[in-house]
Amino acid sequence: MASKEICLGIEGTAHTFGIGIVDGSANVLANEYVMYSPKEGGIHPREAANHHTEKAAEVIRNAMEKADISKDDISLIAFSQGPGLGPCLRTAATAARTLSLSLGIPLIGVNHCIAHLEIGRALCHCSDPVLLYVSGGNTQVISYANGRYRVFGETMDIGLGNMLDKFGREMGMPFPAGPNIERMAAKGNNLIQLPYSVKGMDVSFSGILTAALNKEGHSTEDICYSIQETTFAMLVEVTERAMAHLGKSEVLLGGGVVRNRRLFKMVSDMCQSRGAECFVPPPSLCSDNGAMIAWTGLIMHRAGIRMSLEETGINQRFRTDDVQVTWV
Ligand code: ATP
Ligand code: FE2
């Protein structure tokens, strides 16, 4: 029987199947993952889910070995309940239910977007940040207000990462294209005009993608540079406005796109000019990962949240502000 808090978390909303193991002091004991990458075209949800099913046992075993724990040490199972792709979410949920039932320990479903925020809050020691969460499928500005994490701005169409990956695919770059675009952009220096799409607190990217693909007579380096400068400036604008409205002085970055050094620099500069602080977790905890799910499950459980098996159904459109946040 487990004597202290050790949570095993399962992430499986899209490409990544991850297993994280954390203890009650937010020490990440293991954070193993595998990634499905389509041979061509975009992600196929069924194929991704099959990939996760095939790899699940191996990733769980690796994580337990890394953490150097036995199954009896685990006190809680957490899993990504949504938002995400149905077949992938079901695979993660099934693995989580099986572990919880066979070990006889509680099960908690976690909102994936909130998990990005909670792992950053714990590891970067910030207390009340505005989270700029930019991944493949998601682009949101999230912060705590009146008992919930609320979305103050978001993309009206696709996530920025998906936009970069689509652009990269058309240019013949391997998936994921974000890191490639960052390298190319570093060699560009002519700003080509692209639509700057901010509406109130929301942003959109598909118009920029179309415009970038139709630019003729410019180098790929300059187009990559211009895509980054334009889209990152849009994100900085809405993040800064959220901070001003809410009177907050911390920005936390999350999601795979924040691995981009230029984005980090632009957000840091904005923070510096307002006397605010900017935090970014280590890269392995910015991208989708099991550790963030484990940690969020652990603090929810600690706050007294319990879920019956019936309450652990997946939710493809799980909104950040659907969750009543009782642990902050
Ligand atoms: P989610 O389920 O939250 O939408 P995801 O499956 O997209 O997540 P992440 O690992 O959070 O997974 O993000 C992956 C995205 O990050 C890809 O679109 C990739 O191109 C982008 N990315 C990774 N590194 C960089 C970089 N250096 N610059 C820009 N984008 C990057
Ligand atoms: Fe994510």
Side-chain angles (χ1 to χ4, degrees):
M1 185 65 199
S3 56
K4 54 178 192 172
E5 292 173 293
I6 290 193
C7 181
L8 182 148
I10 307 181
E11 159 60 31
T13 53
H15 295 93
T16 304
F17 183 83
I19 300 289
I21 301 175
V22 301
D23 70 11
S25 310
N27 294 308
V28 177
L29 309 179
N31 194 26
E32 297 291 299
Y33 68 92
V34 286
M35 209 178 132
Y36 159 81
S37 60
K39 283 187 199 71
E40 53 179 359
I43 184 170
H44 189 292
R46 237 313 85 247
E47 278 177 20
N50 290 344
H51 162 270
H52 297 350
T53 307
E54 265 169 41
K55 302 282 180 182
E58 184 187 325
V59 186
I60 294 171
R61 217 169 20 243
N62 290 346
M64 304 259 297
E65 265 171 31
K66 262 274 165 58
D68 195 19
I69 56 162
S70 80
K71 57 186 186 349
D72 295 332
D73 295 320
I74 304 170
S75 58
L76 176 70
I77 303 292
F79 74 101
S80 53
Q81 200 169 10
L85 306 169
C88 300
L89 290 171
R90 271 188 285 278
T91 301
T94 304
R97 287 194 198 111
T98 309
L99 281 174
S100 157
L101 285 171
S102 68
L103 298 176
I105 54 176
L107 176 64
I108 279 199
V110 169
N111 178 290
H112 172 95
C113 307
I114 291 179
H116 275 289
L117 192 146
E118 290 299 355
I119 193 73
R121 221 160 59 88
L123 295 183
C124 302
H125 306 290
C126 52
S127 58
D128 187 16
V130 170
L131 171 74
L132 173 59
Y133 167 36
V134 198
S135 66
N138 293 290
T139 299
Q140 296 186 330
V141 175
I142 300 171
S143 200
Y144 181 83
N146 302 326
R148 285 175 199 256
Y149 284 123
R150 300 185 191 269
V151 179
F152 289 92
E154 65 188 315
T155 178
M156 308 286 282
D157 44 43
I158 51 177
L160 179 52
N162 279 353
M163 189 276 246
L164 297 173
D165 295 337
K166 280 186 183 165
F167 176 78
R169 197 187 320 149
E170 296 296 322
M171 305 305 279
M173 296 177 193
F175 176 88
N180 241 299
I181 292 175
E182 178 173 12
R183 277 191 294 278
M184 289 267 191
K187 295 183 204 143
N189 51 17
N190 290 313
L191 189 67
I192 305 159
Q193 205 174 351
L194 294 170
Y196 184 92
S197 318
V198 176
K199 276 212 173 73
M201 288 298 287
D202 295 325
V203 292
S204 61
F205 299 114
S206 53
I208 300 176
L209 173 64
T210 310
L213 288 172
N214 288 316
K215 287 286 171 200
E216 279 167 11
H218 298 278
S219 68
T220 309
E221 286 81 358
D222 280 344
I223 301 176
C224 290
Y225 171 76
S226 307
I227 290 176
Q228 284 197 175
E229 294 303 301
T230 307
T231 57
F232 294 173
M234 290 160 49
L235 296 178
V236 169
E237 181 188 328
V238 291
T239 305
E240 181 166 24
R241 202 168 317 120
M243 294 170 81
H245 273 305
L246 295 162
K248 298 201 181 187
S249 56
E250 295 171 332
V251 175
L252 174 66
L253 297 171
V257 181
V258 310
R259 289 173 168 224
N260 189 294
R261 300 304 303 168
R262 179 62 185 150
L263 176 58
F264 178 71
K265 173 80 170 63
M266 287 172 73
V267 178
S268 306
D269 286 351
M270 177 272 284
C271 286
Q272 205 173 10
S273 75
R274 314 178 48 85
E277 274 188 285
C278 178
F279 302 90
V280 61
S284 61
L285 295 165
C286 277
S287 298
D288 289 352
N289 67 87
M292 68 179 191
I293 303 296
W295 173 245
T296 308
L298 192 148
I299 55 176
M300 289 169 72
H301 189 259
R302 200 184 267 169
I305 295 171
R306 302 289 182 267
M307 290 184 187
S308 66
L309 207 55
E310 293 69 42
E311 288 167 316
T312 60
I314 62 150
N315 184 351
Q316 290 186 61
R317 272 177 265 287
F318 198 177
R319 296 276 313 169
T320 303
D321 48 16
D322 281 345
V323 181
Q324 220 176 341
V325 177
T326 52
W327 59 88
V328 168

